[in-house]
Amino acid sequence: MEALNHPSSEDLSSYALQALDPNEAQSVAEHLLTCQECRQQLKAYSAVADGLLFAVPPKTPPAQLRSSLEARIAAGRPVAAPPRRGFRFSIFQAALGAAVVVLLAVTAYLAYQVNDLKQQQQALLQLLQQNQTSLALISQLGVSVIPLQTNQVAGNIVISPDGQNGVLFVHGLSPLDPNHTYQVWLIPASGSPQSAGVFQVPQNQSTSYLSIRSPVPIQDFSNIGITVEPSGGSQAPTTEPILLDNI
Ligand SMILES: [Zn+2]
Protein backbone atom coordinates (compact mmCIF):
# COMPACT_ATOMS: atom_id res chain seq x y z
CA MET A 1 0.00 0.00 0.00
CA GLU A 2 2.88 2.31 0.88
CA ALA A 3 4.54 1.80 -2.49
CA LEU A 4 1.42 2.83 -4.39
CA ASN A 5 1.04 6.02 -2.41
CA HIS A 6 3.85 8.14 -3.87
CA PRO A 7 4.64 11.44 -2.18
CA SER A 8 3.97 14.45 -4.39
CA SER A 9 6.87 15.94 -6.31
CA GLU A 10 6.62 18.98 -4.02
CA ASP A 11 7.10 16.71 -1.00
CA LEU A 12 10.01 14.94 -2.64
CA SER A 13 11.76 18.17 -3.56
CA SER A 14 11.08 19.52 -0.03
CA TYR A 15 12.58 16.32 1.31
CA ALA A 16 15.64 16.88 -0.88
CA LEU A 17 15.88 20.40 0.55
CA GLN A 18 15.38 18.98 4.08
CA ALA A 19 12.39 21.28 4.41
CA LEU A 20 9.83 18.72 5.61
CA ASP A 21 8.83 18.46 9.25
CA PRO A 22 10.15 15.31 10.99
CA ASN A 23 6.87 13.32 10.69
CA GLU A 24 6.52 14.10 7.00
CA ALA A 25 10.20 13.35 6.42
CA GLN A 26 9.79 10.05 8.26
CA SER A 27 6.88 8.92 6.09
CA VAL A 28 8.68 9.97 2.90
CA ALA A 29 11.80 8.11 4.10
CA GLU A 30 9.72 4.99 4.74
CA HIS A 31 8.16 5.22 1.31
CA LEU A 32 11.60 5.64 -0.27
CA LEU A 33 12.67 2.29 1.20
CA THR A 34 9.98 0.58 -0.85
CA CYS A 35 9.93 2.65 -4.04
CA GLN A 36 12.78 2.78 -6.53
CA GLU A 37 10.90 5.20 -8.76
CA CYS A 38 10.76 7.81 -6.00
CA ARG A 39 14.38 7.13 -5.02
CA GLN A 40 15.44 7.98 -8.55
CA GLN A 41 13.31 11.09 -8.60
CA LEU A 42 14.78 12.12 -5.28
CA LYS A 43 18.28 11.65 -6.69
CA ALA A 44 17.54 14.19 -9.41
CA TYR A 45 16.00 16.60 -6.91
CA SER A 46 18.93 16.15 -4.52
CA ALA A 47 21.44 16.97 -7.25
CA VAL A 48 19.50 20.14 -7.97
CA ALA A 49 19.01 20.89 -4.28
CA ASP A 50 22.73 20.54 -3.61
CA GLY A 51 23.39 23.02 -6.39
CA LEU A 52 20.78 25.38 -4.96
CA LEU A 53 22.13 25.17 -1.46
CA PHE A 54 25.57 26.00 -2.75
CA ALA A 55 24.20 28.79 -4.88
CA VAL A 56 22.44 30.67 -2.06
CA PRO A 57 23.78 31.88 1.30
CA PRO A 58 23.88 28.79 3.54
CA LYS A 59 21.19 28.04 6.12
CA THR A 60 18.82 30.96 5.58
CA PRO A 61 16.59 29.69 2.76
CA PRO A 62 16.12 26.16 4.17
CA ALA A 63 15.33 27.60 7.62
CA GLN A 64 12.71 29.92 6.11
CA LEU A 65 11.27 27.11 4.10
CA ARG A 66 11.04 24.89 7.13
CA SER A 67 9.34 27.51 9.33
CA SER A 68 6.91 28.34 6.57
CA LEU A 69 5.98 24.71 6.13
CA GLU A 70 5.69 24.22 9.88
CA ALA A 71 3.36 27.21 10.08
CA ARG A 72 1.21 25.77 7.32
CA ILE A 73 1.12 22.34 8.95
CA ALA A 74 0.13 23.99 12.25
CA ALA A 75 -2.62 25.83 10.38
CA GLY A 76 -3.87 22.47 9.11
CA ARG A 77 -3.29 23.26 5.45
CA PRO A 78 -2.00 20.55 3.13
CA VAL A 79 1.74 20.63 2.57
CA ALA A 80 1.53 19.37 -0.96
CA ALA A 81 -0.10 22.49 -2.40
CA PRO A 82 2.55 25.21 -2.60
CA PRO A 83 1.48 28.86 -2.57
CA ARG A 84 2.08 30.73 -5.79
CA ARG A 85 4.02 33.73 -4.55
CA GLY A 86 6.76 34.74 -2.18
CA PHE A 87 10.51 34.23 -1.98
CA ARG A 88 10.25 31.03 0.07
CA PHE A 89 8.52 29.20 -2.72
CA SER A 90 10.68 30.60 -5.46
CA ILE A 91 13.24 28.14 -4.08
CA PHE A 92 10.71 25.36 -4.54
CA GLN A 93 9.86 26.47 -8.02
CA ALA A 94 13.52 26.84 -8.90
CA ALA A 95 14.16 23.35 -7.57
CA LEU A 96 11.27 21.89 -9.52
CA GLY A 97 12.16 23.87 -12.63
CA ALA A 98 15.78 22.85 -12.40
CA ALA A 99 14.77 19.22 -11.83
CA VAL A 100 12.66 19.34 -14.97
CA VAL A 101 15.61 20.79 -16.86
CA VAL A 102 17.85 18.02 -15.54
CA LEU A 103 15.34 15.35 -16.55
CA LEU A 104 14.91 16.91 -19.99
CA ALA A 105 18.68 17.01 -20.42
CA VAL A 106 18.98 13.35 -19.48
CA THR A 107 16.18 12.45 -21.88
CA ALA A 108 17.79 14.46 -24.67
CA TYR A 109 21.13 12.80 -23.96
CA LEU A 110 19.58 9.34 -24.13
CA ALA A 111 17.77 10.23 -27.33
CA TYR A 112 21.06 11.46 -28.78
CA GLN A 113 22.75 8.17 -27.84
CA VAL A 114 20.01 6.12 -29.46
CA ASN A 115 20.33 8.27 -32.56
CA ASP A 116 24.10 7.79 -32.56
CA LEU A 117 23.63 4.01 -32.37
CA LYS A 118 21.20 4.18 -35.27
CA GLN A 119 23.80 6.02 -37.32
CA GLN A 120 26.45 3.44 -36.48
CA GLN A 121 24.06 0.71 -37.47
CA GLN A 122 23.40 2.56 -40.73
CA ALA A 123 27.13 2.78 -41.42
CA LEU A 124 27.57 -0.94 -40.73
CA LEU A 125 24.69 -1.76 -43.03
CA GLN A 126 26.25 0.41 -45.72
CA LEU A 127 29.58 -1.35 -45.27
CA LEU A 128 27.89 -4.73 -45.53
CA GLN A 129 26.18 -3.67 -48.75
CA GLN A 130 29.48 -2.45 -50.15
CA ASN A 131 31.13 -5.73 -49.28
CA GLN A 132 28.32 -7.61 -50.95
CA THR A 133 28.72 -5.39 -54.00
CA SER A 134 32.43 -6.21 -54.02
CA LEU A 135 31.68 -9.92 -53.85
CA ALA A 136 29.13 -9.61 -56.63
CA LEU A 137 31.74 -7.89 -58.79
CA ILE A 138 34.20 -10.71 -58.19
CA SER A 139 31.81 -13.44 -59.24
CA GLN A 140 30.43 -11.61 -62.27
CA LEU A 141 33.42 -9.85 -63.70
CA GLY A 142 36.36 -11.96 -62.67
CA VAL A 143 37.82 -9.15 -60.62
CA SER A 144 39.88 -9.98 -57.57
CA VAL A 145 39.54 -8.60 -54.09
CA ILE A 146 42.41 -8.32 -51.65
CA PRO A 147 41.54 -7.77 -47.99
CA LEU A 148 43.62 -5.25 -46.09
CA GLN A 149 43.81 -5.24 -42.33
CA THR A 150 45.90 -3.49 -39.73
CA ASN A 151 45.27 -2.64 -36.10
CA GLN A 152 43.22 0.50 -36.68
CA VAL A 153 42.13 0.23 -40.28
CA ALA A 154 40.40 -2.40 -42.38
CA GLY A 155 39.43 -2.44 -46.01
CA ASN A 156 39.87 -4.16 -49.30
CA ILE A 157 40.99 -3.40 -52.78
CA VAL A 158 38.94 -4.60 -55.70
CA ILE A 159 41.04 -5.03 -58.83
CA SER A 160 39.85 -5.30 -62.42
CA PRO A 161 40.78 -8.40 -64.51
CA ASP A 162 43.55 -6.52 -66.34
CA GLY A 163 44.92 -5.34 -63.00
CA GLN A 164 45.08 -1.70 -64.06
CA ASN A 165 41.98 -0.42 -62.31
CA GLY A 166 41.09 -0.80 -58.72
CA VAL A 167 38.82 0.56 -56.06
CA LEU A 168 40.19 0.87 -52.56
CA PHE A 169 37.66 0.68 -49.70
CA VAL A 170 38.92 1.72 -46.30
CA HIS A 171 36.97 1.57 -43.08
CA GLY A 172 37.90 3.15 -39.75
CA LEU A 173 39.87 6.25 -40.76
CA SER A 174 39.15 9.54 -38.98
CA PRO A 175 38.41 12.76 -40.86
CA LEU A 176 41.47 15.01 -41.19
CA ASP A 177 41.77 18.77 -40.85
CA PRO A 178 41.49 20.69 -44.16
CA ASN A 179 45.28 21.05 -44.47
CA HIS A 180 45.87 17.31 -44.66
CA THR A 181 44.85 14.42 -46.83
CA TYR A 182 45.20 10.66 -46.98
CA GLN A 183 47.51 9.45 -49.73
CA VAL A 184 47.68 5.93 -51.13
CA TRP A 185 50.96 4.41 -52.23
CA LEU A 186 51.67 1.40 -54.39
CA ILE A 187 55.03 0.08 -53.31
CA PRO A 188 57.17 -2.07 -55.63
CA ALA A 189 59.43 -4.82 -54.32
CA SER A 190 62.33 -2.57 -55.21
CA GLY A 191 62.16 1.13 -56.00
CA SER A 192 60.25 4.03 -54.53
CA PRO A 193 56.54 4.13 -53.60
CA GLN A 194 54.25 5.48 -56.31
CA SER A 195 51.29 7.68 -55.48
CA ALA A 196 47.94 6.12 -56.33
CA GLY A 197 45.98 9.24 -55.38
CA VAL A 198 44.66 11.17 -52.41
CA PHE A 199 41.32 11.02 -50.61
CA GLN A 200 39.45 12.61 -47.74
CA VAL A 201 37.25 11.01 -45.12
CA PRO A 202 34.01 13.04 -44.89
CA GLN A 203 32.53 13.77 -41.46
CA ASN A 204 30.04 11.13 -40.28
CA GLN A 205 31.21 8.65 -42.88
CA SER A 206 33.39 5.82 -41.76
CA THR A 207 34.07 4.22 -45.14
CA SER A 208 36.13 5.88 -47.86
CA TYR A 209 36.80 4.90 -51.47
CA LEU A 210 39.53 5.70 -53.91
CA SER A 211 39.62 4.72 -57.55
CA ILE A 212 43.09 3.66 -58.55
CA ARG A 213 44.53 3.50 -62.04
CA SER A 214 47.89 1.95 -62.60
CA PRO A 215 49.92 1.58 -65.83
CA VAL A 216 51.14 -1.79 -64.59
CA PRO A 217 48.95 -4.43 -62.91
CA ILE A 218 48.31 -3.48 -59.32
CA GLN A 219 49.19 -7.03 -58.24
CA ASP A 220 52.74 -6.45 -59.54
CA PHE A 221 53.37 -4.18 -56.57
CA SER A 222 54.31 -5.87 -53.34
CA ASN A 223 52.59 -3.52 -50.87
CA ILE A 224 49.95 -0.86 -50.58
CA GLY A 225 50.24 1.91 -48.00
CA ILE A 226 48.31 4.92 -46.75
CA THR A 227 49.96 7.97 -45.16
CA VAL A 228 48.74 11.35 -43.94
CA GLU A 229 50.20 14.10 -46.14
CA PRO A 230 49.78 17.85 -46.56
CA SER A 231 46.70 18.57 -48.70
CA GLY A 232 47.38 17.97 -52.38
CA GLY A 233 49.65 15.06 -51.56
CA SER A 234 53.40 14.52 -51.57
CA GLN A 235 55.96 13.20 -54.06
CA ALA A 236 56.99 10.57 -51.55
CA PRO A 237 55.58 9.48 -48.17
CA THR A 238 56.53 11.90 -45.40
CA THR A 239 54.85 10.16 -42.43
CA GLU A 240 54.64 6.65 -41.02
CA PRO A 241 52.01 4.62 -42.88
CA ILE A 242 48.74 4.06 -41.04
CA LEU A 243 48.04 1.14 -43.30
CA LEU A 244 50.66 -1.04 -44.94
CA ASP A 245 49.77 -4.43 -46.31
CA ASN A 246 50.71 -6.93 -48.99
CA ILE A 247 48.86 -7.01 -52.28
ZN1 LIG B 1 7.00 6.12 -4.87
Side-chain angles (χ1 to χ4, degrees):
M1 181 188 110
E2 201 88 36
L4 297 173
N5 202 4
H6 304 290
S8 66
S9 52
E10 286 86 358
D11 280 357
L12 268 183
S13 59
S14 302
Y15 184 83
L17 287 164
Q18 300 176 5
L20 287 182
D21 75 283
N23 290 341
E24 279 275 340
Q26 169 96 32
S27 84
V28 170
E30 275 167 15
H31 175 81
L32 287 168
L33 289 174
T34 67
C35 184
Q36 164 138 24
E37 197 184 325
C38 285
R39 278 202 299 274
Q40 285 189 336
Q41 210 176 345
L42 176 70
K43 223 180 194 176
Y45 288 150
S46 296
V48 174
D50 287 349
L52 274 174
L53 295 181
F54 279 116
V56 297
K59 288 184 183 171
T60 314
Q64 285 184 348
L65 270 176
R66 190 174 291 128
S67 62
S68 158
L69 285 164
E70 277 165 3
R72 292 177 64 230
I73 290 158
R77 286 197 279 155
V79 180
R84 297 270 172 255
R85 56 204 172 87
F87 165 77
R88 289 166 294 215
F89 289 94
S90 72
I91 293 269
F92 261 148
Q93 282 159 359
L96 288 173
V100 167
V101 169
V102 168
L103 292 176
L104 283 178
V106 168
T107 306
Y109 176 71
L110 289 175
Y112 167 81
Q113 292 228 310
V114 168
N115 196 34
D116 198 43
L117 280 175
K118 270 186 194 158
Q119 280 179 1
Q120 284 179 24
Q121 195 181 30
Q122 198 74 32
L124 283 174
L125 199 65
Q126 223 174 11
L127 184 69
L128 183 66
Q129 283 166 350
Q130 281 152 9
N131 285 345
Q132 284 171 343
T133 307
S134 302
L135 289 171
L137 277 173
I138 299 166
S139 58
Q140 287 174 18
L141 303 172
V143 299
S144 52
V145 68
I146 298 165
L148 307 169
Q149 177 85 57
T150 61
N151 284 342
Q152 10 167 359
V153 179
N156 52 50
I157 179 164
V158 182
I159 302 171
S160 65
D162 66 4
Q164 295 182 359
N165 292 283
V167 181
L168 176 67
F169 297 82
V170 192
H171 187 66
L173 290 177
S174 311
L176 297 173
D177 67 83
N179 298 323
H180 290 88
T181 187
Y182 289 108
Q183 189 162 8
V184 178
W185 306 94
L186 294 171
I187 304 162
S190 62
S192 32
Q194 294 178 21
S195 175
V198 298
F199 69 95
Q200 294 288 346
V201 175
Q203 294 285 346
N204 302 325
Q205 192 179 313
S206 45
T207 306
S208 309
Y209 330 84
L210 177 69
S211 289
I212 295 173
R213 287 178 148 260
S214 172
V216 296
I218 292 170
Q219 294 96 323
D220 287 2
F221 292 90
S222 65
N223 288 288
I224 185 166
I226 302 176
T227 58
V228 175
E229 300 294 337
S231 69
S234 302
Q235 291 294 312
T238 64
T239 61
E240 285 292 307
I242 46 177
L243 180 146
L244 185 62
D245 209 349
N246 299 322
I247 44 177

